[in-house]
Amino acid sequence: MLDFIYYPVSFILWCWHKVFGFVFGADNAITWLLAIIFLTFTVRGIMFKPFVNQVRSMKKMQEFAPELKKIQKKYANDRQRQAAEMQKLQKEHGVNPLGSCLPMLLQIPVFIGLNWVLRAFSIQPADGSPKTENYFFDQAGVESYVHAKLFGVNIGDAIHNASMLGGQGGGWHWHVAPVAIPLMILASILTHLTARHSAQRQNLNPEAVTPQTQMMQRLTMYIFPLGVLVFGAFFPIGLLVYWLANNGWTLMQQRLVYTRIDKEEAQKKAEAAEKRNSLAPRPGAKPKPGQKPVQQKTDDGDGVADKPAADGKASGQKPGSKAGSPHRFPQQGQRPQNGSAQKRKKPSQGGKNSGQKGSGQKRR
């Protein structure tokens, strides 16, 4: 039913088994473990670009998280309108919420496919005849996997072969525990470290942290590692190796991608600041064509713009003196002129000083 998953997974495993078989031998357990590890790396390499898109999408969502909170508060009583406004905001910022879930969703079929392919090596035909094939593996490949042992334990065995997970025979196999338990502990620790690193990244922006986000962080940091530690007893050794390699890759990938994105953002900010500084005029320099001047020059009515004197010599005044007076006294206001000389008014005839000579005038 799920052959479209099983065949690609078994093909990648077959290719890496052939590669490492030339070095360590086809029947060596190290060959099989390296084939499983590099199967993991191959799948994660294919999903590298979606992972980078996921990180960028999460970064954008953190940037406009305050706007989302405003929408949630504004339309708290109208869920339909709230969802529509949130979708509109996400579309404007070019964010796809499903993009953050894509890498995780793609890993689920690989996990299911590898679990079944590894268990299918040990499933014998109903008629009791020898198993001659397992998807891309022939009879020699099947026998190689069945007889490959790590510290005396077959890599297809589990502490408990649960039938609901495809195990055969059932019951507890405690001789597998010395090899399986250390792998379970390491896988649990790496799961916790991976979730913790991701949570620290999200907590850099406190405005983007919601109660739902905090709940998911606790779930991934504590519940998931505990689940690996408990349910790892039902996984074969090869599947535990896959889980360990997958979480190790995820942890290193997060560190590399986050560092790279931080450097890109810092470089963009530096380029934007440099561009602003290059466009801004230097002190005392004229603005470039098309650039708004910092200060507007005023005109005194004679058609010539006033230019500030650097030291007061250009206007004929001493440094430190007030404008309009060479003796540091403010100049008295002048009478307004209308373009023609004004005539002095004669003293009134009925005045007290009538008949007397006016100041500076001759009697006619």
Side-chain angles (χ1 to χ4, degrees):
M1 184 174 62
L2 296 178
D3 288 348
F4 68 95
I5 296 176
Y6 302 149
Y7 274 102
V9 170
S10 64
F11 175 73
I12 299 173
L13 183 65
W14 177 84
C15 291
W16 285 116
H17 178 261
K18 289 293 183 182
V19 171
F20 291 107
F22 287 112
V23 181
F24 301 101
D27 299 335
N28 197 328
I30 300 298
T31 299
W32 284 102
L33 294 180
L34 287 175
I36 294 171
I37 291 173
F38 277 82
L39 162 68
T40 309
F41 293 166
T42 302
V43 175
R44 295 308 304 271
I46 295 172
M47 294 188 296
F48 179 77
K49 188 173 179 59
F51 177 80
V52 175
N53 295 335
Q54 171 195 2
V55 175
R56 296 186 186 279
S57 178
M58 292 176 63
K59 181 69 176 176
K60 289 182 179 179
M61 291 182 69
Q62 290 178 358
E63 291 176 354
F64 64 86
E67 300 180 27
L68 285 175
K69 289 185 178 180
K70 290 180 182 179
I71 292 176
Q72 292 174 352
K73 185 177 180 180
K74 184 177 181 180
Y75 303 103
N77 298 326
D78 190 352
R79 296 292 182 181
Q80 186 175 1
R81 180 68 181 276
Q82 182 185 116
E85 292 295 330
M86 291 175 66
Q87 289 179 359
K88 181 180 178 182
L89 184 63
Q90 292 168 356
K91 186 176 181 180
E92 290 176 356
H93 287 80
V95 175
N96 183 9
L98 297 178
S100 60
C101 303
L102 183 61
M104 184 179 295
L105 294 176
L106 290 177
Q107 294 179 52
I108 295 176
V110 178
F111 181 82
I112 295 174
L114 183 60
N115 175 66
W116 176 253
V117 170
L118 293 180
R119 292 185 183 277
F121 279 110
S122 303
I123 299 177
Q124 298 296 326
D127 57 0
S129 60
K131 191 174 183 67
T132 58
E133 62 179 1
N134 185 26
Y135 298 101
F136 268 92
F137 289 92
D138 56 9
Q139 185 174 359
V142 172
E143 293 178 356
S144 173
Y145 180 84
V146 170
H147 294 96
K149 295 183 180 297
L150 179 67
F151 300 110
V153 177
N154 190 282
I155 60 176
D157 288 341
I159 296 177
H160 188 282
N161 290 322
S163 59
M164 63 179 299
L165 295 177
Q168 298 291 321
W172 295 90
H173 305 278
W174 295 110
H175 68 282
V176 183
V179 179
I181 290 177
L183 293 175
M184 292 160 53
I185 294 173
L186 288 175
S188 179
I189 293 173
L190 278 179
T191 303
H192 172 75
L193 292 177
T194 303
R196 185 176 182 178
H197 184 263
S198 179
Q200 290 176 349
R201 180 74 180 186
Q202 293 177 358
N203 294 335
L204 292 177
N205 186 6
E207 295 181 351
V209 179
T210 61
Q212 294 80 4
T213 304
Q214 293 178 347
M215 184 180 67
M216 286 299 300
Q217 289 177 358
R218 296 191 189 98
L219 189 67
T220 55
M221 282 195 297
Y222 301 106
I223 304 301
F224 285 1
L226 183 61
V228 174
L229 191 60
V230 173
F231 292 99
F234 302 99
F235 297 153
I237 300 296
L239 201 60
L240 289 174
V241 171
Y242 165 80
W243 192 273
L244 189 63
N246 186 59
N247 282 276
W249 174 282
T250 302
L251 183 60
M252 296 302 298
Q253 183 176 253
Q254 283 181 352
R255 293 184 178 274
L256 293 175
V257 172
Y258 289 158
T259 303
R260 176 183 173 184
I261 290 178
D262 289 341
K263 289 182 178 180
E264 289 179 357
E265 292 182 352
Q267 184 178 359
K268 288 180 181 179
K269 291 180 180 179
E271 291 177 355
E274 184 178 357
K275 185 177 181 180
R276 288 195 301 268
N277 294 334
S278 63
L279 293 177
R282 296 180 179 178
K286 295 182 179 180
K288 296 179 180 180
Q291 184 179 5
K292 294 182 179 180
V294 178
Q295 295 181 351
Q296 297 291 338
K297 295 182 179 181
T298 59
D299 199 320
D300 58 1
D302 56 358
V304 180
D306 292 332
K307 295 182 179 180
D311 55 359
K313 294 181 180 180
S315 60
Q317 66 183 41
K318 297 180 180 180
S321 62
K322 296 183 179 180
S325 174
H327 303 289
R328 301 184 182 180
F329 293 102
Q331 187 175 1
Q332 296 179 358
Q334 297 181 355
R335 296 178 180 179
Q337 298 180 357
N338 55 2
S340 62
Q342 293 182 349
K343 296 181 179 181
R344 296 181 179 179
K345 295 182 181 180
K346 294 181 180 181
S348 59
Q349 295 180 358
K352 183 177 180 180
N353 298 327
S354 177
Q356 298 180 356
K357 294 182 179 181
S359 174
Q361 285 186 333
K362 294 182 181 182
R363 295 182 62 184
R364 293 183 180 178

